[in-house]
Amino acid sequence: MKKDQLLTRRAALIAGAGAVGAAATAGVLTAVTGEAPAGPAAPAAPAAGAEAARRPPRASAYRLQPLTGYAPPRAAPRRTLVRREPLLRVSGRGRTMVLTFDDGPDPRYTPAILDVLAEYEVRAMFFVCGEMVAGGRQTVARMAEEGHVVGNHTWSHPLLTRLTRRQIRSQMERTSDAVEEACGERPAWFRAPYGAWNRAALRIGADLGMEPLGWTLDTLDWTTPGVRSIVRRVENGAAPGVVVLSHDAGGDRSQSVRALRRYLPELLDSGYHVTVPVRPGT
C-alpha cells in the first residue's frame, strides 16, 4: 500500500513540474513573439485596461514604428496645381504693384536697373533667359542677393506654341538649371515669351514647380517709344494689383532705365507699395 502511494505521489510531482515548465516556456514565447502557444483555454483575463497597460506591443509593431515615436503618418503630397491661364494681377494689402523686367540679364542695362531699385529699396521680378544667364551669372546672383525674384523666361525666347512638349520642357528645364547654378535656387515663377501660353507650357511649368505670371500693364518699352511715353503709360495704368511689364535686354533699353528713374519715385510718393508677389498657397 505504501508502495502504491509512493508511486502516485511521484506521478503527481512529475505532472506538476511539467505544468510549471510549460507555463515558463509559454511566458518566454509570449515575450519574444507576442503570441502565446496553442493549448487549453487560459483562465479569465483581468480587465482590458489593466491588461493593455501591462502588455507591451508585439515585436513586429516595434519594427514598423518610426524612430521618432508613434507619430501619425505624414499627409500625402499635394497634387500639382495646373492653371488654365497665367496670373495677370497680384493680391496684396493696400496699393501694391509689381515691376517686372524680361529677357535679361544684359550687362549694359540690368545693373543700371538694379542700381535704381536699390536706391529706392524696392524689389522687382526679373524673368531671365537661360542663354543670357550663361554670360551673366554674377548679375543673376546680385538679383537674388538684393531680394529680387528671378523667374524663368525660357532658354532662347522662342514662341512656345510652335514647339513640341519635349522642346518646351528643355527650354524651361535648362533655364531653371542655369538660374540655380547662378544663385543657388530654382525659379518659382515663369513667363512665356510674347505672352503666348498653351496647355503644354502651363502643365510643364507646374511640373517644374513654377507659377505662371503674365502682366497687367505693358509699357511697350520694347518699341522704344520715348521716355515720356513709357512714364505716362505707367502713371496712367497704376492701380492696386497691377503687374508692370518692362525689359532690361533684347535691344536698346536705355529708355527703360531712364523711365524707371522717373516713374518709380512718383509711384512711391503716390503711396504705392512696390514689391514682389507671394506664391499662392504659401
Side-chain angles (χ1 to χ4, degrees):
M1 188 70 176
K2 290 183 179 180
K3 185 176 181 180
D4 292 340
Q5 291 177 347
L6 182 60
L7 291 175
T8 302
R9 188 174 180 183
R10 181 179 296 178
L13 288 174
I14 293 174
V20 172
T25 303
V28 171
L29 289 174
T30 301
V32 173
T33 66
E35 299 179 357
E51 176 67 16
R54 291 198 304 268
R55 186 176 58 208
R58 291 183 300 173
S60 59
Y62 283 115
R63 290 195 296 270
L64 293 174
Q65 291 294 340
L67 294 178
T68 54
Y70 297 91
R74 291 182 295 177
R78 295 181 180 179
R79 295 182 60 186
T80 303
L81 172 64
V82 181
R83 298 189 181 276
R84 296 183 178 179
E85 58 185 15
L87 299 169
L88 302 178
R89 303 178 69 89
V90 297
S91 59
R93 300 180 62 182
R95 307 178 76 185
T96 301
M97 288 180 61
V98 175
L99 302 181
T100 68
F101 300 89
D102 284 10
D103 302 347
D106 188 299
R108 297 168 294 176
Y109 309 111
T110 307
I113 290 175
L114 289 170
D115 290 342
V116 176
L117 297 173
E119 180 181 352
Y120 292 97
E121 299 181 346
V122 164
R123 294 185 297 163
M125 302 182 74
F126 290 85
F127 287 91
V128 300
C129 293
E131 63 182 4
M132 301 294 287
V133 174
R137 292 185 180 181
Q138 292 183 347
T139 303
V140 174
R142 178 186 172 185
M143 292 174 185
E145 289 171 0
E146 296 182 0
H148 304 293
V149 172
V150 183
N152 187 320
H153 200 40
T154 73
W155 183 265
S156 58
H157 205 274
L159 191 63
L160 297 181
T161 54
R162 295 182 179 178
L163 302 184
T164 65
R165 292 180 62 89
R166 179 176 296 180
Q167 290 171 327
I168 294 173
R169 178 174 290 275
S170 176
Q171 285 277 336
M172 290 187 180
E173 200 161 30
R174 290 175 65 195
T175 301
S176 289
D177 291 343
V179 170
E180 185 177 24
E181 291 176 4
C183 65
E185 188 172 356
R186 299 181 73 79
W189 298 85
F190 77 100
R191 174 176 284 168
Y194 312 106
W197 310 83
N198 59 13
R199 293 181 63 183
L202 293 168
R203 169 81 256 183
I204 294 169
D207 289 344
L208 296 175
M210 298 184 291
E211 285 278 9
L213 182 66
W215 59 84
T216 317
L217 172 62
D218 188 350
T219 64
L220 297 179
D221 60 340
W222 54 275
T223 66
T224 60
V227 174
R228 286 187 179 181
S229 178
I230 298 172
V231 172
R232 185 166 55 251
R233 285 194 176 95
V234 174
E235 292 176 343
N236 292 340
V242 162
V243 178
V244 180
L245 169 62
S246 298
H247 296 80
D248 63 330
D252 182 354
R253 301 299 177 228
S254 57
Q255 291 183 4
S256 304
V257 177
R258 296 202 303 272
L260 177 64
R261 289 197 181 105
R262 288 181 52 179
Y263 68 70
L264 180 55
E266 293 178 5
L267 288 176
L268 298 175
D269 290 342
S270 299
Y272 282 99
H273 179 52
V274 182
T275 186
V276 295
V278 177
R279 284 191 60 175
T282 60

